[in-house]
Amino acid sequence: MKSTQKFGAGIWHFATYVDRYATDGYGPPKSLLEMIDLAGQVDDLSVVDINYPFVDSSLSLDAVEVALKKNNLSVIGITPEIYTRQFSKGAFTNPDAGVRRLANEMVNDAANVVRRFGADYVKLWPGQDGWDYPFQVDHREIWKRSVEGIAEVASQNPDLKFVIEYKPREPRAHMSYDSVSRTLLGIEKMGLDNVGILLDFGHSLYGGESPADAAQLAIDHGRLFGMDVNDNFRSWDDDLIAGSVHPIELFEFFYTLRKNNWEGVWQLDQFPFREDSVAAANSAIGFLKTIERALDKLDFEAMQAAQHKQDAVTALNLAREALFSSY
């Protein structure tokens, strides 16, 4: 049976990466249009999340739209780059009110791009909002600015959804939105219906969470607006191919989504530094399709009965049988 699930990826999946060692990059630079063309080569990929502003400032929205249509792609979200050098001391939490205003303006510009492409949301990853050292910040002030900054842009655009992608650390040693619970507390404080969570499976893993538990908590609060998947070894945000290290926990994550009738794009947030980006995306989507077949096979009633008894052996046997017989 052909999959009806929609798959997506952050357009950065197809970029050229730089780190503090290979400062010359792991390949030749790529333009946004080249990245879109690579995304179009991935089997069953239908949507992308795009960074804004574009690296090529002269690139028009019309040109991007032409490239997307040529590759049969649509846009799920726009990610404003509120984490670059000008925001190195924070975007919403920057001590300079002028820089905080720049962050607000950039997010509002991104909101207009969301409208232009008919996307689902503005994705906020305030990676520079937080602190690095003891005594560096007034914690009440930092948290207040974190909450009020996002509440302001969401209030200015009540017709759009805003999703917060939390992460424990990197680039800051401590990020303001570092966990599902802290992010939910912030959203609750905002009191706005159009702000939710984008749950990154890898961020949850290396933050010491169970991604399935984090997803359930976000769903129970009505705030799981989006998700993306990858993998890591739990000590860092490695952004490896989904299912390469923690297949059982990834299966439990998707089991939780299915059990709650959560419907949305299954999106990749991977960084194939040394791998072929198209092959890495196809590998991940292939495994996600395996998970989809396994969910169709899984005896949900038997699983629920085992969980009511906290019968780990039976529950794991049911999960393994469904997952590993679905290849």
Side-chain angles (χ1 to χ4, degrees):
M1 183 173 67
K2 184 174 174 58
S3 171
T4 58
Q5 178 60 48
K6 185 178 286 189
F7 300 100
I11 199 65
W12 51 88
H13 184 289
F14 307 97
T16 297
Y17 305 108
V18 176
D19 61 23
R20 60 183 177 144
Y21 301 103
T23 55
D24 54 345
Y26 285 87
K30 296 187 184 75
S31 69
L32 175 58
L33 298 186
E34 288 173 325
M35 288 186 266
I36 291 172
D37 285 342
L38 284 171
Q41 296 176 32
V42 178
D43 299 334
D44 299 302
L45 190 71
S46 59
V47 300
V48 289
D49 182 334
I50 297 179
N51 307 90
Y52 186 83
F54 306 142
V55 175
D56 181 354
S57 60
S58 66
L59 187 62
S60 70
L61 295 177
D62 287 343
V64 173
E65 184 174 37
V66 168
L68 290 166
K69 286 184 176 178
K70 182 182 75 172
N71 289 284
N72 297 312
L73 296 169
S74 60
V75 180
I76 185 172
I78 297 294
T79 301
E81 294 195 329
I82 53 173
Y83 41 79
T84 54
R85 182 169 59 186
Q86 65 182 330
F87 302 112
S88 62
K89 288 190 175 181
F92 301 117
T93 65
N94 199 290
D96 186 327
V99 177
R100 296 199 298 272
R101 184 50 44 193
L102 283 175
N104 177 276
E105 291 170 359
M106 183 180 288
V107 175
N108 272 291
D109 288 344
N112 288 329
V113 179
V114 167
R115 295 184 183 95
R116 172 68 170 73
F117 288 123
D120 289 358
Y121 49 69
V122 178
K123 189 184 81 181
L124 300 176
W125 183 67
Q128 302 285 7
D129 284 358
W131 69 96
D132 302 307
Y133 292 94
F135 287 100
Q136 183 176 11
V137 300
D138 179 314
H139 292 289
R140 177 182 288 126
E141 179 182 61
I142 286 290
W143 183 237
K144 185 172 184 286
R145 286 178 177 169
S146 295
V147 171
E148 291 180 352
I150 291 179
E152 182 181 20
V153 293
S155 296
Q156 290 165 341
N157 300 274
D159 58 313
L160 298 181
K161 289 182 178 179
F162 289 78
V163 298
I164 302 170
E165 181 179 5
Y166 69 86
K167 185 179 180 181
R169 56 194 177 277
E170 193 210 13
R172 297 312 289 256
H174 297 273
M175 283 176 57
S176 291
Y177 293 101
D178 65 355
S179 62
V180 68
S181 54
R182 189 175 178 90
T183 307
L184 286 170
L185 281 171
I187 293 171
E188 182 71 20
K189 186 74 172 175
M190 294 174 206
L192 299 169
D193 293 336
N194 62 329
V195 183
I197 285 176
L198 185 138
L199 202 163
D200 182 296
F201 180 84
H203 293 178
S204 184
L205 273 181
Y206 106 102
E209 297 177 342
S210 157
D213 174 60
Q216 187 64 66
L217 193 61
I219 288 170
D220 287 345
H221 285 264
R223 298 295 184 173
L224 187 61
F225 287 8
M227 50 75 64
D228 52 37
V229 292
N230 42 54
D231 216 330
N232 60 54
F233 287 95
R234 265 199 157 90
S235 60
W236 194 248
D237 186 30
D238 302 304
D239 283 325
L240 304 176
I241 294 170
S244 56
V245 184
H246 296 97
I248 284 289
E249 284 182 272
L250 188 63
F251 186 34
E252 184 191 22
F253 175 73
F254 282 109
Y255 163 76
T256 301
L257 299 186
R258 174 74 69 90
K259 183 175 67 171
N260 287 278
N261 298 311
W262 188 90
E263 295 182 357
V265 174
W266 291 10
Q267 184 156 285
L268 307 179
D269 184 4
Q270 303 177 160
F271 277 61
F273 278 76
R274 301 164 185 83
E275 293 70 40
D276 178 275
S277 60
V278 173
N282 278 327
S283 175
I285 291 175
F287 187 68
L288 295 184
K289 287 182 176 179
T290 297
I291 284 181
E292 187 182 17
R293 291 191 297 270
L295 290 171
D296 292 336
K297 288 182 180 181
L298 182 65
D299 187 333
F300 274 65
E301 289 187 4
M303 178 62 77
Q304 200 68 55
Q307 290 179 339
H308 282 319
K309 298 176 182 177
Q310 297 187 20
D311 183 348
V313 173
T314 299
L316 277 172
N317 285 343
L318 288 166
R320 288 168 175 165
E321 181 180 357
L323 181 59
F324 298 129
S325 67
S326 296
Y327 278 99

